[in-house]
Amino acid sequence: MASLISPTAAATTQKPLTPPRSRITTTAAAANPTTSTARRNFLSLSAIALFLAPAAAEPAVAASDDEYVKETEEVISKVKSTITLDKTDPNVATAVAELRETSNSWVAKYRREKALLGRASFRDMYSALNAVSGHYISFGPTAPIPAKRRQRILEEMETAEKALLRGR
């Protein structure tokens, strides 16, 4: 009767297969146990260094409040001069390209500053730069900004300037 056992019943009673070990690791570890310990220590330290490295290698943040004020005033003057250019001016495309580069670098630098996120000057500048960039991305660098949008941008620039003067 022992020969009448079904193949599925025999399969369920077998031991599960263990994954095969690498011959290289097994023989290297057996030949020199200090090598595997040294390798393990090296890998552990490397992993720790990788986690700590980004914190030490982050790009420089705003050095001071004075730097923020100075750079924000420069961006404000650049925005005002660019959006008030005449549509027929031959330098419009270059001025818009320079403005986009300046505004992108300003936003990239100060967007990560937690201390600046609540400031009125940052909020107004960010909003105005977003409106200007959005317009030129959508309609091209030579398209004039509509009067209503231009007025709102200029008002946001003025309030940002006032907030800067008050230290906000």
Side-chain angles (χ1 to χ4, degrees):
M1 242 3 213
S3 62
L4 297 178
I5 300 176
S6 70
T8 56
T12 57
T13 59
Q14 290 180 352
K15 292 198 295 186
L17 294 176
T18 58
R21 291 186 174 206
S22 170
R23 285 187 221 153
I24 297 169
T25 308
T26 307
T27 56
N32 193 354
T34 58
T35 305
S36 65
T37 306
R39 184 181 300 135
R40 189 177 310 126
N41 289 340
F42 173 76
L43 291 174
S44 298
L45 290 174
S46 298
I48 291 171
L50 284 175
F51 285 117
L52 296 178
E58 281 184 352
V61 293
S64 67
D65 194 50
D66 296 333
E67 183 182 355
Y68 167 75
V69 170
K70 182 178 145 258
E71 289 184 6
T72 304
E73 286 173 346
E74 289 172 3
V75 173
I76 288 172
S77 66
K78 189 106 163 137
V79 168
K80 285 182 176 180
S81 66
T82 302
I83 68 172
T84 55
L85 285 175
D86 190 36
K87 173 179 148 178
T88 59
D89 193 332
N91 299 327
V92 169
T94 18
V96 168
E98 289 173 7
L99 173 64
R100 287 190 60 202
E101 185 177 320
T102 304
S103 65
N104 285 344
S105 64
W106 185 89
V107 168
K109 183 173 185 177
Y110 294 112
R111 177 177 45 201
R112 287 178 262 141
E113 291 285 325
K114 299 232 185 280
L116 299 176
L117 294 178
R119 283 185 158 189
S121 61
F122 178 82
R123 182 185 62 238
D124 291 338
M125 273 300 296
Y126 192 87
S127 175
L129 289 176
N130 193 24
V132 170
S133 295
H135 172 80
Y136 287 127
I137 287 171
S138 297
F139 302 107
T142 56
I145 296 180
K148 208 173 188 180
R149 185 175 297 150
R150 180 184 300 147
Q151 184 62 34
R152 183 178 67 87
I153 291 169
L154 291 173
E155 285 174 6
E156 286 179 341
M157 292 289 160
E158 287 177 28
T159 56
E161 274 182 316
K162 289 176 186 174
L164 280 175
L165 292 174
R166 293 183 193 139
R168 294 181 168 185

